[in-house]
Amino acid sequence: MSKNMSSHISSIQVILGERAKAHIANKGLRPEDICAIPAAAGGPKGLILQGLDQYLFSDWLGAEHLRQRAAKGIKPLQLIGASIGAWRMAAAASSNPIASFKRLAQQYVEAQDYRKGVDRHEISRVCGAMVQAVVAEEAQCMAKPVGKELLVWVNRGLTPLYHAKSQAHSHAQHQHARMQGFASAVLANSLNRNRLSSYFERWVFQSPGAHTDWLRQPFDRIPTRIENLDSLNIHDALLASGSIPFVLNPVHKITQALENNSTEVKHHEGPFWDGGLTDYHLALPYHRLDGLVLYPHFAPTVTPGWLDKFLKLRKAKPEWMSNVILVCPSPQFVASLPAKKIPDRSDFKRYKFDHSVRIPLWQSAIRESHRMADDFQQWLNDVNR
């Protein structure tokens, strides 16, 4: 991917794949050119995209565009998310994206008022309540949005992660076995990413009828299963998508979407974990899609899995990213933030759980994030001249 920046733009970098670069050079960039928007895992890092998210889904890709898109027979816009990215894309799928994004930001910043020594049970309780607040009355709309398709990434633990849940073992033995299982997964991943296929099954919870043929064709050896979203399971799917091992509890079961007017409630059996474990920044085969992929991101690089954060050379395949437009904060913009960095999970410890320090810094980052929206609009004006 290559950089394409106007000299006056200071808050964003726009990084283009070769196919995207050629398209924009010849035709500019219109909303109907975009077929998908990915949203990475990364916890609080996603807050720096709040301003850009609000602009995209209320304005450039808002209700008027969706009406025109449908009138022209263009496929719905795919919203693809893992972990906090799934929460962001659920907000984007709502009937009122700005209100949903603001609600998500407020909940994420203010509800996590943990104290030193907080355990995963309390964090799980808080995150469950946050997801409920974000979904609110929008469950049906988020699961089956008009003009959009929501895809929520989740991982189901396989042997030995699944079998660690044994009734014959004490809680301590169970936790030790699970820790050994994850340690083994870390080692396996360091040797070859495809070895994660022994530990995880990738689940994608999609809006019913979503155009996911491009994901049904194998693109790595991690098994992929696609299931439907509905108002009954979207909360647990979103919570599972953000359930980081040993930070939160897994989600042990997710309700199956009701089909054909059935009233019998069944469940998918877990344990279900964070979608970012296998697909941290969603390094997917986007080149299979017909249109362009707009990727608002908090980093200039795309890392395949969460465990690959520690493997600096493991990045997305360039050919998969050929039709991607990646928009991320510029180094100058990040350096201008009050904390000289974007929010991240280490801030809880960095500020010693003093939320009177952390919360204002995160709120200031969100306010500053609207500069990214302004500069993206200017970039669009430039490429469409």
Side-chain angles (χ1 to χ4, degrees), residues 290-326:
D290 292 335
L292 301 181
V293 174
L294 177 61
Y295 192 167
H297 194 20
F298 48 76
T301 56
V302 175
T303 301
W306 187 82
L307 300 176
D308 297 327
K309 291 194 300 180
F310 315 105
L311 305 171
K312 299 301 183 183
L313 296 180
R314 192 172 291 177
K315 300 299 179 188
K317 297 179 181 179
E319 62 270 24
W320 288 11
M321 307 293 287
S322 63
N323 57 333
V324 173
I325 304 161
L326 188 148

Side-chain angles (χ1 to χ4, degrees), residues 80 150-154 201-206 212 215 224-229:
I80 307 166
L150 179 61
L151 279 61
V152 175
W153 245 247
V154 175
E201 185 176 48
R202 175 192 290 120
W203 283 48
V204 179
F205 285 88
Q206 64 163 23
T212 48
L215 293 172
T224 300
R225 179 167 170 172
I226 298 178
E227 295 287 344
N228 282 341
L229 283 169

Side-chain angles (χ1 to χ4, degrees), residues 131-147:
V131 171
Q132 185 59 44
V134 171
V135 173
E137 304 300 319
E138 293 275 354
Q140 184 70 15
C141 183
M142 288 177 173
K144 301 177 181 179
V146 176

Side-chain angles (χ1 to χ4, degrees), residues 111-373:
Q112 299 193 85
D113 56 347
Y114 308 122
R115 296 296 175 255
K116 187 176 182 180
V118 64
D119 63 20
R120 69 180 187 281
H121 305 297
E122 175 63 9
I123 297 174
S124 297
R125 184 195 67 77
V126 170
C127 288
M130 280 199 297
V131 171
Q132 185 59 44
V134 171
V135 173
E137 304 300 319
E138 293 275 354
Q140 184 70 15
C141 183
M142 288 177 173
K144 301 177 181 179
V146 176
K148 294 173 277 194
E149 299 170 346
L150 179 61
L151 279 61
V152 175
W153 245 247
V154 175
N155 279 295
R156 180 176 178 270
L158 303 177
T159 306
L161 305 179
Y162 178 82
H163 287 166
K165 184 186 176 185
S166 169
Q167 298 300 323
H169 294 133
S170 69
H171 176 74
Q173 288 173 320
H174 164 51
Q175 282 299 102
H176 181 68
R178 181 165 280 165
M179 289 181 70
Q180 285 186 317
F182 275 101
S184 177
V186 171
L187 177 60
N189 180 73
S190 69
L191 297 174
N192 189 311
R193 173 171 158 78
N194 282 322
R195 294 195 179 192
L196 288 178
S197 61
S198 297
Y199 300 87
F200 298 106
E201 185 176 48
R202 175 192 290 120
W203 283 48
V204 179
F205 285 88
Q206 64 163 23
S207 298
H211 297 79
T212 48
D213 286 349
W214 67 286
L215 293 172
R216 295 177 188 273
Q217 307 165 42
F219 54 90
D220 59 22
R221 292 183 184 174
I222 300 170
T224 300
R225 179 167 170 172
I226 298 178
E227 295 287 344
N228 282 341
L229 283 169
D230 70 4
S231 58
L232 292 179
N233 65 18
I234 188 168
H235 174 278
D236 286 346
L238 290 171
L239 180 59
S241 188
S243 292
I244 305 168
F246 309 111
V247 177
L248 280 77
N249 294 318
V251 172
H252 289 293
K253 58 177 62 177
I254 296 177
T255 305
Q256 295 183 24
L258 295 178
E259 297 181 2
N260 301 322
N261 298 317
S262 171
T263 58
E264 182 182 2
V265 177
K266 299 180 180 179
H267 296 87
H268 302 296
E269 296 295 331
F272 294 103
W273 297 101
D274 195 298
L277 287 168
T278 56
D279 298 286
Y280 183 47
H281 290 172
L282 295 161
L284 304 174
Y286 299 116
H287 66 301
R288 294 176 176 177
L289 292 166
D290 292 335
L292 301 181
V293 174
L294 177 61
Y295 192 167
H297 194 20
F298 48 76
T301 56
V302 175
T303 301
W306 187 82
L307 300 176
D308 297 327
K309 291 194 300 180
F310 315 105
L311 305 171
K312 299 301 183 183
L313 296 180
R314 192 172 291 177
K315 300 299 179 188
K317 297 179 181 179
E319 62 270 24
W320 288 11
M321 307 293 287
S322 63
N323 57 333
V324 173
I325 304 161
L326 188 148
V327 183
C328 66
S330 69
Q332 297 86 352
F333 171 65
V334 173
S336 74
L337 296 174
K340 311 298 182 187
K341 56 181 282 299
I342 64 176
D344 63 51
R345 230 166 20 99
S346 69
D347 288 345
F348 289 107
K349 292 183 178 179
R350 177 178 288 110
Y351 304 122
K352 300 179 180 176
F353 293 90
D354 185 346
H355 303 293
S356 67
V357 175
R358 176 191 61 81
I359 289 176
L361 287 173
W362 284 17
Q363 289 172 332
S364 67
I366 291 170
R367 286 194 297 272
E368 291 297 310
S369 74
H370 290 272
R371 289 170 52 193
M372 293 182 64

